[in-house]
């Protein structure tokens, strides 16, 4: 089977790192490049972190591009309180052997979509949607060329994790999210409603560490740091492993359940800024624009995640 071509747009983040590792370990996927965006930490950190993760995986062949350093219209909000000062707290930082690419991430997205056959490239945003929105605004011709967008962002029944109403990725740049959800591209959305069901329990992290290879050991260390905040916040054994759900859906969508809905992004209210308003119960006549995932076989997810990271 021909691998599915993807671009990972990301703001690493330990869970972003987990998603990158899962993608690089999976023969079903061809990662054309990784585009960094400001989000969990500033752009200088996210671009460095993406390169560190590729090198940990032994995949310095994958190019990394720096993109937007701020949201379209707002001041950047970051999440060091969750991810630590580096964004990858839990592992030792180093300068990767492969330098950052000279091209801007938005230009890379545009050029990749134009260079590949129509509807053969899937975009996988794991952070704020600034780079994707900028690409769509700058080059509207590429919108029809996108095969699919599979993103981690939003929440509905679970509410928000940065405000009572908003999930972090959407809250950071709601205007960008509004552009992306309104573009007409097929979207699969991994909201908090599903990511809160894949918890990095002690047993699962121990199984990951037992792989014994560098990527698994480094990821286990990252998760031990990352989960502390969420364990205190939610009172759970382990924290949600948000971003790898995007990659897992591409590999094995049958482990997930959801429904096609209309999703609108709130940009005008101080109280609910960044909320993803999901018409789950079909109470409006607004057009469906996203497959909203709500359920997952968590054991199947972690079986896949642990086995694949063992291949790196």
């Amino acid at each position: 089977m021909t691998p599915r071509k993807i671009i990972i747009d990301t703001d690493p983040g330990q869970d972003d790192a987990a998603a990158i590792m899962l993608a690089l370990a999976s023969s079903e996927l061809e990662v054309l490049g990784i585009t960094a965006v400001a989000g969990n930490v500033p752009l200088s950190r996210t671009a460095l972190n993406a390169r560190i993760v590729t090198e940990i995986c032994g995949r310095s062949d994958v190019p990394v591009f720096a993109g937007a350093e701020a949201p379209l219209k707002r001041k950047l909000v970051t999440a060091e309180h969750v991810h630590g000062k580096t964004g990858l707290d839990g592992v030792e930082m180093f300068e990767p052997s492969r330098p950052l690419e000279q091209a801007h991430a938005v230009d890379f997205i545009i050029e990749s979509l134009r260079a590949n056959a129509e509807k053969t490239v899937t975009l996988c945003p794991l952070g704020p949607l600034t780079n994707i929105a900028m690409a769509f605004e700058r080059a509207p011709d590429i919108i029809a060329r996108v095969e699919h967008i599979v993103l981690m962002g939003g929440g509905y029944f679970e509410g928000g994790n940065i405000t009572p109403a908003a999930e972090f990725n959407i809250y950071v740049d709601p205007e960008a999210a509004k552009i992306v959800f309104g573009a007409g591209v097929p979207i699969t959305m991994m909201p908090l409603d599903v990511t809160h069901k894949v918890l990095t329990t002690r047993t699962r992290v121990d199984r990951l560490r037992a792989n014994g290879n560098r990527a698994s050991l480094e990821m286990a260390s990252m998760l031990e740091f990352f989960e502390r905040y969420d364990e205190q916040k939610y009172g759970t054994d382990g924290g949600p492993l948000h971003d790898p759900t995007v990659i897992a859906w591409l590999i094995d969508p049958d482990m997930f359940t959801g429904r096609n809905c209309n999703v609108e992004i709130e940009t005008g209210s101080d109280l609910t800024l960044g909320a993803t308003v999901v018409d789950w119960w079909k109470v409006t006549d607004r057009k469906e624009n996203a497959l909203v995932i709500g359920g997952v076989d968590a054991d199947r997810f972690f079986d896949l995640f642990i086995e694949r990271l063992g291949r790196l």
Side-chain angles (χ1 to χ4, degrees):
M1 185 178 71
T2 303
R4 185 172 191 164
K5 295 178 180 179
I6 68 171
I7 295 172
I8 298 175
D9 188 67
T10 180
D11 61 338
Q14 293 90 348
D15 58 324
D16 302 74
I20 293 168
M21 288 184 177
L22 179 57
L24 295 179
S26 298
S27 60
E28 297 93 339
L29 304 174
E30 178 187 354
V31 181
L32 299 180
I34 297 173
T35 52
V37 66
N40 286 322
V41 286
L43 180 66
S44 60
R45 285 285 188 185
T46 62
L48 172 63
N49 291 350
R51 292 188 294 133
I52 286 173
V53 174
T54 59
E55 188 150 317
I56 287 172
C57 295
R59 290 295 308 277
S60 295
D61 59 300
V62 178
V64 176
F65 302 81
E69 60 184 2
L72 296 180
K73 296 183 178 180
R74 300 178 186 271
K75 184 179 178 181
L76 178 65
V77 175
T78 56
E80 286 92 346
H81 63 289
V82 179
H83 299 275
K85 290 182 179 180
T86 69
L88 291 183
D89 278 22
V91 296
E92 185 175 343
M93 305 297 285
F94 61 89
E95 182 61 35
S97 59
R98 178 165 179 162
L100 192 64
E101 302 301 310
Q102 291 297 308
H104 193 281
V106 172
D107 293 329
F108 171 73
I109 291 168
I110 293 169
E111 290 166 8
S112 296
L113 285 164
R114 287 174 173 168
N116 286 277
E118 190 170 321
K119 298 192 183 302
T120 61
V121 176
T122 291
L123 303 179
C124 300
L126 311 177
L129 290 162
T130 316
N131 284 341
I132 309 302
M134 288 176 65
F136 285 2
E137 293 278 273
R138 189 177 300 174
D141 61 286
I142 68 171
I143 295 173
R145 303 187 68 83
V146 178
E147 179 181 14
H148 206 100
I149 295 174
V150 188
L151 64 88
M152 190 275 133
Y156 187 58
F157 295 106
E158 285 285 317
N161 63 355
I162 188 69
T163 73
E167 179 273 331
F168 177 82
N169 289 342
I170 307 299
Y171 177 79
V172 169
D173 199 342
E175 284 79 16
K178 192 174 187 71
I179 289 168
V180 173
F181 275 86
V185 177
I187 293 175
T188 295
M189 169 181 167
M190 297 291 175
L192 299 178
D193 305 280
V194 67
T195 68
H196 280 183
K197 294 171 183 173
V198 287
L199 299 178
T200 57
T201 64
R202 171 57 49 196
T203 299
R204 288 165 175 164
V205 175
D206 286 346
R207 285 177 55 205
L208 176 63
R209 183 179 288 104
N211 281 340
N213 61 323
R214 182 185 182 187
S216 296
L217 293 173
E218 298 276 32
M219 179 50 57
S221 295
M222 288 186 217
L223 293 178
E224 285 185 335
F225 176 89
F226 178 56
E227 67 192 13
R228 292 174 199 165
Y229 174 83
D230 284 330
E231 284 179 333
Q232 293 174 357
K233 181 177 181 179
Y234 299 115
T236 54
D237 175 11
L241 194 55
H242 306 284
D243 293 332
T245 58
V246 167
I247 306 301
W249 185 85
L250 288 169
I251 297 167
D252 184 7
D254 291 341
M255 75 170 75
F256 296 94
T257 57
R259 65 175 66 172
N260 289 304
C261 300
N262 175 266
V263 180
E264 302 293 340
I265 311 299
E266 178 57 59
T267 59
S269 166
D270 290 337
L271 188 62
T272 59
L273 179 69
T276 45
V277 182
V278 178
D279 188 7
W280 187 263
W281 301 116
K282 316 287 187 185
V283 296
T284 75
D285 59 0
R286 293 195 296 264
K287 184 179 178 181
E288 296 169 353
N289 61 349
L291 171 61
V292 181
I293 303 299
V296 61
D297 183 333
D299 288 334
R300 187 166 161 183
F301 169 86
F302 277 100
D303 286 346
L304 173 71
F305 180 70
I306 293 165
E307 187 273 328
R308 292 298 173 89
L309 263 62
R311 298 180 182 183
L312 290 169

